[in-house]
């Protein structure tokens, strides 16, 4: 099974694929290009919105024309129609080398996200946070992180998955779906010895985790016990984030990147940075949870 190119975006760092069930379209970002993108597969229309700084992550809200966005330095609301950005609050102002990175809403509509350290040493000085529906922000009691990724939740909301890409392990922890309390943590998947590193993840309706593996040219489906169930090949080496879309949520979309590639690699992987998709047989995703604030 292999994904095919849908939008040849040539993004330096395509990320954060999210399907909107109301508009039946897929959103994603080119982080380094500071641009939000949208594609409607029914009519082939593709739109983009420039951002004042790098857009790392975002979430749907109760209003179709508004997103919760995570720019490099701050959380904000973005109006798709007017282009207006309303800042909610800055994040890690005291850490000049970090920026927002991966994130997703839990089953109660609270936005859980992490940061990334851009310093060459990649010290794990970042953190995981939760933006509550009253717009209060709290740091979660999880280990410091260099590159936060793989944030997603089990269908019942009682399990949270996350990773530090630099550590090469996808972690999981007990997560109270009502209070949001964090419980015992353990290793869900250890990619030691594998070609790729864990990047973005998504959970399907059966509770299986799909992880895009940066450098591995694949998206891997893991059973709830951490065993490999199947592999979807991606014809470029740096897939970054999967998402389920389509009317029946049976299409897997995957963002990719050409960040860090030399000129020869970019020639060999001419589709790198594009948006890919593959139709799944007998597997469906879950509707994306909207931010409840």
């Amino acid at each position: 099974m292999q994904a095919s190119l849908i939008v040849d975006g040539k993004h330096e760092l395509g990320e954060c694929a999210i399907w909107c069930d109301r508009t039946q379209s897929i959103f994603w970002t080119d982080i380094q290009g500071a641009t939000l993108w949208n594609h409607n597969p029914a009519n082939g229309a593709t739109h983009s919105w420039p951002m004042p700084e790098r857009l790392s992550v975002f979430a749907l809200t109760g209003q179709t024309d508004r997103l919760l966005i995570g720019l490099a330095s701050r959380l904000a609301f973005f109006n798709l129609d007017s282009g207006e950005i309303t800042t909610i609050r800055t994040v890690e102002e005291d850490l000049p080398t970090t920026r927002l990175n991966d994130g997703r809403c839990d089953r109660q509509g609270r936005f859980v996200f992490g940061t990334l350290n851009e310093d060459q040493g990649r010290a794990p000085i970042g953190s995981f946070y939760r933006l509550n529906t009253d717009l209060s922000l709290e740091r979660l009691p999880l280990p410091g992180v260099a590159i936060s990724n793989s944030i997603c939740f089990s269908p019942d909301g009682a399990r949270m998955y996350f990773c530090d890409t630099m550590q090469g392990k996808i972690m999981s922890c007990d997560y109270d779906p009502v209070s949001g309390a964090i419980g015992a943590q353990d290793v869900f998947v250890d990619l030691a010895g594998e070609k790729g590193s864990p990047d973005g993840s998504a959970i399907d309706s059966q509770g299986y985790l799909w992880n895009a593996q940066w450098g591995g040219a694949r998206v891997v489906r893991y059973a709830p016990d951490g065993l490999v169930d199947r592999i979807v090949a991606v014809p470029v080496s740096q897939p970054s984030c999967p998402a389920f879309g389509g009317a029946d949520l049976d299409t897997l979309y995957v963002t990719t990147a050409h960040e860090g590639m030399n000129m020869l690699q970019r020639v060999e992987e001419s589709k790198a940075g594009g948006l890919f998709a593959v139709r799944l047989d007998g597997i469906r995703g879950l509707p994306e949870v909207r931010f409840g604030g």
Side-chain angles (χ1 to χ4, degrees), residues 67-80:
L67 298 177
L68 169 67
I69 61 174
L71 298 167
S73 68
R74 56 188 161 130
L75 292 161
F77 288 117
F78 176 66
N79 187 295
L80 294 163

Side-chain angles (χ1 to χ4, degrees), residues 89-105:
R89 62 185 305 151
T90 57
V91 178
E92 293 186 347
E93 285 185 285
D94 58 329
L95 298 174
T97 64
T98 66
R99 66 164 171 81
L100 274 69
N101 200 45
D102 192 54
R104 184 170 255 106
C105 290

Side-chain angles (χ1 to χ4, degrees), residues 179-200:
S179 70
I182 301 290
Q185 305 164 34
D186 54 38
V187 176
F188 176 64
V189 171
D190 189 343
L191 274 69
E194 300 288 344
K195 185 178 180 181
S197 300
D199 206 315

Side-chain angles (χ1 to χ4, degrees), residues 5-267:
L5 184 67
I6 301 299
V7 178
D8 190 12
K10 302 189 184 304
H11 307 308
E12 184 173 355
L13 184 52
E15 263 287 7
C16 192
I18 289 182
W19 177 261
C20 177
D21 55 347
R22 296 181 185 176
T23 61
Q24 290 291 294
S25 64
I26 184 82
F27 285 93
W28 73 99
T29 176
D30 177 9
I31 294 179
Q32 304 297 21
T35 304
L36 172 70
W37 290 84
N38 175 270
H39 175 73
N40 187 318
N43 59 23
T46 301
H47 299 284
S48 64
W49 296 261
M51 293 287 146
E53 58 178 307
R54 289 174 296 170
L55 173 64
S56 304
V57 66
F58 56 89
L60 305 175
T61 73
Q63 297 171 266
T64 305
D65 63 351
R66 187 171 75 158
L67 298 177
L68 169 67
I69 61 174
L71 298 167
S73 68
R74 56 188 161 130
L75 292 161
F77 288 117
F78 176 66
N79 187 295
L80 294 163
D81 294 332
S82 68
E84 181 183 5
I85 292 176
T86 304
T87 296
I88 299 170
R89 62 185 305 151
T90 57
V91 178
E92 293 186 347
E93 285 185 285
D94 58 329
L95 298 174
T97 64
T98 66
R99 66 164 171 81
L100 274 69
N101 200 45
D102 192 54
R104 184 170 255 106
C105 290
D106 67 14
R107 300 299 170 198
Q108 299 296 318
R110 298 165 295 204
F111 186 59
V112 177
F113 67 96
T115 56
L116 176 154
N117 184 10
E118 297 186 292
D119 187 67
Q120 188 173 4
R122 296 289 192 189
I125 60 174
S127 296
F128 293 92
Y129 299 88
R130 181 168 54 221
L131 181 69
N132 296 306
T133 56
D134 63 358
L135 303 187
S136 63
L137 184 69
E138 60 180 309
R139 180 182 282 108
L140 299 181
L142 294 171
V145 61
I147 303 177
S148 66
N149 265 313
S150 199
I151 298 172
C152 55
F153 297 87
S154 60
D156 64 2
R159 199 83 185 154
M160 174 181 167
Y161 299 90
F162 62 98
C163 83
D164 183 340
T165 296
M166 297 296 292
Q167 301 299 317
K169 299 175 183 178
I170 301 175
M171 306 295 293
S172 68
C173 66
D174 294 331
Y175 188 93
D176 189 299
V178 178
S179 70
I182 301 290
Q185 305 164 34
D186 54 38
V187 176
F188 176 64
V189 171
D190 189 343
L191 274 69
E194 300 288 344
K195 185 178 180 181
S197 300
D199 206 315
S201 290
I203 295 286
D204 66 26
S205 62
Q206 296 174 287
Y208 285 56
L209 182 146
W210 295 70
N211 178 247
Q213 301 191 345
W214 182 276
R218 63 185 193 172
V219 177
V220 181
R221 187 192 195 216
Y222 293 101
D225 61 4
L227 295 179
V228 174
D229 174 78
R230 71 187 61 192
I231 296 173
V232 174
V234 182
V236 293
S237 62
Q238 295 178 165
S240 54
C241 185
F244 297 99
D248 296 321
L249 296 176
D250 60 354
T251 297
L252 184 73
Y253 288 91
V254 186
T255 52
T256 67
H258 63 72
E259 184 181 58
M261 291 184 180
N262 59 37
M263 191 59 67
L264 177 59
Q265 290 172 315
R266 290 188 60 178
V267 170

